[in-house]
Amino acid sequence: MGGGHHATGRALEESVERHWPGSEVRWVDTLDAMGSWVGPLFRRIYVANVQTTPWMYEFFYSALWRHRWFATASKATLAAWSGRRLATEVERFDPDLILSTYPIGSAGMSWLRRRRLLPVPVGAWVSDFAPHPFWLYRDLDATFVMHPAALPAAELAEPGIAARATVPTVERRYHPGDPQLERPELGLPADRFVVLVSCGAYAFGAITEAVDALLAASGAVQVVVACGRNERLRDTLLARGLPGERLLPLGWVADTAPLVRAADLVVTNAGGATSLEALATGRPVVMFRPIAAHGAANAALMSVSGLAETCSTAAQLTALVSAHAAAGGSGGAESTAVKEYLDGHDPALDLPALAASTPPAPPAPTPSGRIRPVRRAWPLRPPDSFFLHVQTRSITQQVGAVITAEPEPGAAPLTAEVLVDRIAAALPVLTTLRRRVVPRGGWLRPGWVVDPTIRVADHVHEVVVAGEAERAAALDRFWSEPVSLRRPPWELLLVRRSDGGGAPAAVPGSASGAGSGGAGGCTLAFKMHHSIGDGLSLIGTLDRILETPGRRALRRRGAPRQRSRTLKGMAFAASRVVRGMWELGTNAGAPRHPLNRELTANRRGVVTVPLPTEQVRAAARRYRVRSSEVLLGVLAEALHRAGVADGVGAPDRLRTMLPVAMASANGARTAGNQTGVVSVDLPVGPMTVTERIQRIRGDLHRRMDLGEPHAAAFVMRALGMFPAPVHAWMSQRVYNSQFFNMIASYIPGPLQQRRIAGHRLTAVYPVVALAEGVPLGIGIMRYAGVTGVCVLYDESLRGIAEPLAEALRSAFADALER
């Protein structure tokens, strides 16, 4: 609605960057999130009401104040509508803080807080002086009004609201200054009394009457009119043919701060962003014929507070401006009331205090350990609850990484206490590690709540080992133990050598990629339940804990309008899903293979193999394929050499489930599974490495072109439409060895090196989750100069694990030579 809500958002974005440099801010237009047609329709209704039928707008505004039932019903309807649509945006971005500058957005956040225990602090900014009842919701952590005089009205409209008074929430460029310093740059005369008429982006109201009254004022008055996007108004004023020294109509002005500082007085009619910006620059404000409803309320409150003068007739405006011009203009001086207003509050306290507020706590488990159903929990998305349903007693659905690290010169030893302090510092703004899964009862999907009572020390463990064999055994135990769902399901293990020696680290220049770490090196193992997120979520979570050199700059999303989906685009997406469904249906079954077997009860082992990333890229260029396709070819060759494909009646291919990212790698996204799946047949019979790579490439591209990942993602979403017990039964029927023989995952990780507590991470090996009857999973991640390959296997495959790792090294070396 106009530009005021965006102006307040830009000011808050500046404040976020000052308090938390390197933060990422995402803008969401509430109306567009409610539907592509909602924004244009609501804006057209608003413009029509203000310009054509102000009596209707006044009637609606008055009814909200007179009849509480009407206000409650109206707010509840829009809150449920916007809340359900904004839930997707909140879940997708997984924010640490939510700031609302639009009333229907605040309504949606209030609905989410009541219905789903919205776990992060939410603040709302009322960017008008008089609080509109639609702006006010007691369920939010804080509601900021623009003056202490507005607090009683806020309490009257919404009893129990957590309202606070603040100063004008405007960008820092709106500050007091000398008009004479600004005018030469703007081409304005220095000897004139400059009156700026600015009535928002739409230029509502009796602007031509205001111009007539100002031109009739005595003295050398120059009238500057900011017409915003109202080109018709500008054309009308230009048609008068007056010289610019008397009347200067302007079109859209991107930066109005110099223009406001150059003026001696500002005339407006709404009391929104224009008034806030004028007050922040210390300019006197005159409200002329305020627009209906909230405009009149703003004018009344500003006049009572001594921050503006109100003129209801042209004669009053002419007399007032004549008096100001005769007094010699403002000269940049602030009135006493404005100065007290600006000095009476420190806005630097607003955001930190809001971020430190504690949202409602979820119900705790009973003394017996049973977790009661919680209906006011955030429901898991179908792809996330899928991995809860496919978990069994012997197969835990957990993903993670094994990380090797080396100390930098002068760094203190890395201990569990250091890690606890590091994670605890990030925990208040990292909701992913505070999520706890709870049942919602009956036929509802499980949900998650954010647990404010989490003790980081319960999740971080340390083991001191004497040698490489003990280190490997510690990692095997760690990946054999399931994460507990009675608390936030994640754990971190630190493995250190008692003699100060390091864990094996990557040597990018070596063909085998293995070497010995330096003194003080260590290994970190991090795991979290698959329901929290996928490999991209894992990267995002680790990035929030680790130290990143040259942190990413704040990225503004602007306030983009959603593009309507065309029928052609919708038809193409639907056809892709249909073709992918046909491919899944006709080629769904995996070949029977001796590799597939019943898994032992949570007894796992891991083997890591580092490969130099530059050599992987060189091989990809040589074969004219992607790096992931080279690595899949090397993996198929290694499986052949290690004898995994051997056995009576063993087929010459292994159906491999390969997760495919359906969203771009976003460093801020730390939760949720956003992947589809494509199945690829790895040829494991006798053939050359070149032939393996080309066959894999052809099969993979064919399935991708047919839309198999989109179809798989559609199936995972569609399963969530069924009641939870049916969803669980169907999920378990499609995620097992009947449909794939093994799992492989390629993750393009961060290119820059990360650090933690003075230790440089040398390699990252992703760990995938296994499935029913599938005892082997391969995770591959590109990190800095090392491509880490991690083999997770069931205890029944221990005899072939080490041979497979060695075969990976030799197969990669041979691929480089050919």
Side-chain angles (χ1 to χ4, degrees):
M1 298 297 180
H5 306 292
H6 293 170
T8 304
R10 289 192 297 270
L12 291 174
E13 186 180 58
E14 279 188 352
S15 186
V16 167
E17 178 64 7
R18 287 198 302 272
H19 290 297
W20 302 291
S23 300
E24 183 169 359
V25 175
R26 175 168 295 178
W27 290 57
V28 177
D29 189 307
T30 301
L31 295 181
D32 289 345
M34 293 165 66
S36 59
W37 56 272
V38 176
L41 176 63
F42 277 34
R43 294 180 188 102
R44 183 172 299 178
I45 292 173
Y46 174 69
V47 172
N49 278 338
V50 174
Q51 289 186 322
T52 308
T53 57
W55 60 268
M56 183 180 297
Y57 192 44
E58 183 67 47
F59 174 80
F60 176 75
Y61 182 77
S62 300
L64 292 174
W65 284 100
R66 288 198 308 267
H67 308 294
R68 187 174 296 277
W69 67 267
F70 179 70
T72 300
S74 302
K75 292 164 67 174
T77 301
L78 287 176
W81 183 2
S82 63
R84 287 185 171 89
R85 294 303 186 97
L86 289 172
T88 302
E89 301 292 339
V90 174
E91 179 69 8
R92 180 183 296 126
F93 191 55
D94 191 27
D96 307 310
L97 186 65
I98 299 175
L99 313 177
S100 173
T101 67
Y102 184 62
I104 301 181
S106 301
M109 292 301 111
S110 174
W111 185 88
L112 290 175
R113 173 60 56 81
R114 291 194 311 272
R115 299 298 183 92
R116 299 187 177 181
L117 283 176
L118 186 61
V120 297
V122 182
W125 270 256
V126 181
S127 54
D128 283 359
F129 263 82
H132 193 302
F134 255 43
W135 290 85
L136 308 171
Y137 299 89
R138 70 173 67 91
D139 300 293
L140 305 185
D141 298 284
T143 299
F144 295 90
V145 297
M146 296 299 108
H147 196 275
L151 291 173
E155 179 64 29
L156 177 64
E158 187 75 3
I161 189 172
R164 306 178 191 174
T166 185
V167 291
T169 307
V170 299
E171 296 174 81
R172 301 183 75 179
R173 53 197 170 113
Y174 292 96
H175 56 78
D178 187 350
Q180 300 303 326
L181 297 179
E182 302 288 349
R183 292 183 182 181
E185 295 291 332
L186 299 173
L188 300 177
D191 58 346
R192 291 276 180 171
F193 183 85
V194 178
V195 179
L196 173 63
V197 180
S198 179
C199 297
Y202 292 120
F204 283 146
I207 295 181
T208 55
E209 291 86 342
V211 170
D212 292 338
L214 294 170
L215 292 174
S218 59
V221 174
Q222 181 187 28
V223 183
V224 179
V225 184
C227 299
R229 304 191 186 279
N230 193 337
E231 289 297 328
R232 179 180 298 179
L233 171 64
R234 188 185 182 207
D235 293 341
T236 300
L237 296 177
L238 287 172
R240 296 190 177 193
L242 295 177
E245 291 78 9
R246 288 290 287 155
L247 177 61
L248 181 60
L250 302 175
W252 178 258
V253 179
D255 183 8
T256 60
L259 191 61
V260 176
R261 279 194 298 273
D264 295 294
L265 184 143
V266 177
V267 175
T268 186
N269 60 6
T274 300
S275 299
L276 298 179
E277 291 163 358
L279 290 172
T281 54
R283 292 297 172 265
V285 176
V286 175
M287 301 286 289
F288 176 67
R289 290 187 185 175
I291 62 175
H294 72 283
N298 289 334
L301 185 59
M302 292 176 68
S303 297
V304 169
S305 304
L307 301 178
E309 298 178 84
T310 302
C311 298
S312 56
T313 66
Q316 290 176 343
L317 180 60
T318 300
L320 179 63
V321 172
S322 297
H324 276 278
S330 67
E334 304 170 22
S335 68
T336 302
V338 172
K339 183 172 178 55
E340 291 178 353
Y341 171 48
L342 297 179
D343 295 341
H345 180 80
D346 182 7
L349 302 176
D350 292 341
L351 284 182
L354 174 63
S357 59
T358 303
T366 62
S368 64
R370 187 177 68 87
I371 302 176
R372 300 188 184 94
V374 180
R375 291 189 178 272
R376 290 181 59 217
W378 198 282
L380 270 71
R381 297 166 56 254
D384 301 336
S385 58
F386 177 91
F387 290 103
L388 279 178
H389 296 321
V390 298
Q391 175 166 302
T392 65
R393 289 187 176 183
S394 60
I395 305 173
T396 301
Q397 291 298 317
Q398 54 192 19
V399 295
V402 175
I403 305 168
T404 57
E406 293 288 337
E408 295 183 321
L414 190 61
T415 63
E417 290 76 12
V418 173
L419 292 173
V420 167
D421 292 341
R422 176 78 183 176
I423 297 174
L427 209 57
V429 291
L430 185 54
T431 58
T432 303
L433 297 187
R434 292 186 288 151
R435 294 186 176 204
R436 173 162 59 85
V437 179
V438 293
R440 296 169 64 224
W443 297 84
L444 301 176
R445 288 199 309 271
W448 60 260
V449 294
V450 171
D451 195 338
T453 62
I454 179 175
R455 293 182 67 252
V456 179
D458 294 339
H459 297 257
V460 179
H461 315 285
E462 182 176 354
V463 175
V464 180
V465 298
E468 176 58 25
E470 291 188 16
R471 169 186 172 273
L475 292 176
D476 290 351
R477 288 194 302 270
F478 180 73
W479 290 107
S480 298
E481 298 169 356
V483 290
S484 173
L485 294 177
R486 299 180 184 274
R487 62 186 186 187
W490 64 273
E491 289 185 13
L492 179 66
L493 174 68
L494 170 65
V495 182
R496 295 192 296 118
R497 291 274 293 270
S498 59
D499 57 2
V507 179
S510 167
S512 66
S516 59
C522 58
T523 300
L524 296 169
F526 176 79
K527 62 183 177 183
M528 66 182 190
H529 199 276
H530 209 333
S531 61
I532 291 182
D534 51 21
L536 295 180
S537 300
L538 174 70
I539 295 173
T541 302
L542 290 175
D543 260 355
R544 298 285 286 275
I545 300 173
L546 303 173
E547 302 160 4
T548 305
R551 298 181 63 184
R552 64 182 183 272
L554 176 137
R555 291 186 284 170
R556 178 184 297 175
R557 302 295 183 187
R561 299 278 185 261
Q562 283 190 347
R563 295 182 179 179
S564 300
R565 299 182 64 185
T566 63
L567 290 177
K568 183 178 180 181
M570 295 172 64
F572 174 76
S575 65
R576 184 170 52 185
V577 171
V578 170
R579 286 185 287 117
M581 293 286 290
W582 176 263
E583 175 67 16
L584 288 176
T586 56
N587 296 282
R592 292 183 177 274
H593 199 283
L595 173 69
N596 300 115
R597 64 197 68 187
E598 183 177 352
L599 275 63
T600 54
N602 290 317
R603 296 176 62 185
R604 306 288 180 263
V606 293
V607 176
T608 59
V609 179
L611 302 175
T613 298
E614 283 303 318
Q615 294 184 13
V616 173
R617 290 176 174 172
R621 291 191 295 269
R622 180 175 304 172
Y623 290 101
R624 296 184 179 181
V625 297
R626 297 175 180 176
S627 296
S628 58
E629 294 162 356
V630 165
L631 293 169
L632 287 175
V634 169
L635 174 60
E637 177 68 18
L639 291 169
H640 169 70
R641 295 185 181 187
V644 174
D646 294 345
V648 178
D652 60 356
R653 61 189 176 95
L654 283 175
R655 177 66 57 85
T656 303
M657 186 186 73
L658 185 68
V660 177
M662 303 301 292
S664 60
N666 185 342
R669 191 179 66 81
T670 60
N673 291 272
Q674 301 284 344
T675 52
V677 172
V678 61
S679 56
V680 58
D681 288 330
L682 297 186
V684 291
M687 66 182 66
T688 65
V689 174
T690 301
E691 187 177 355
R692 290 188 202 280
I693 293 175
Q694 294 302 327
R695 286 183 59 176
I696 290 172
R697 182 180 185 276
D699 187 34
L700 182 60
H701 280 245
R702 181 183 65 83
R703 294 175 182 271
M704 294 284 288
D705 293 340
L706 288 174
E708 190 172 304
H710 299 85
F714 173 80
V715 169
M716 293 189 72
R717 292 193 302 269
L719 290 178
M721 299 173 59
F722 294 94
V726 179
H727 185 196
W729 183 85
M730 297 178 70
S731 300
Q732 293 161 8
R733 295 302 180 276
V734 300
Y735 198 73
N736 53 52
S737 58
Q738 290 183 351
F739 296 94
F740 48 92
N741 304 118
M742 60 174 289
I743 301 171
S745 178
Y746 176 82
I747 305 172
L751 297 178
Q752 288 185 324
Q753 279 196 323
R754 303 308 199 243
R755 293 170 174 79
I756 184 167
H759 284 62
R760 177 176 55 88
L761 274 57
T762 56
V764 179
Y765 305 90
V767 182
V768 301
L770 302 181
E772 184 69 40
V774 181
L776 185 63
I778 312 293
I780 307 170
M781 179 182 288
R782 182 191 64 198
Y783 162 75
V786 178
T787 297
V789 182
C790 182
V791 180
L792 177 72
Y793 59 90
D794 182 70
E795 176 67 19
S796 60
L797 295 181
R798 181 169 294 276
I800 64 173
E802 287 295 342
L804 177 59
E806 184 57 38
L808 278 167
R809 297 187 183 97
S810 63
F812 179 70
D814 290 347
L816 287 175
E817 295 175 359
R818 297 184 183 182

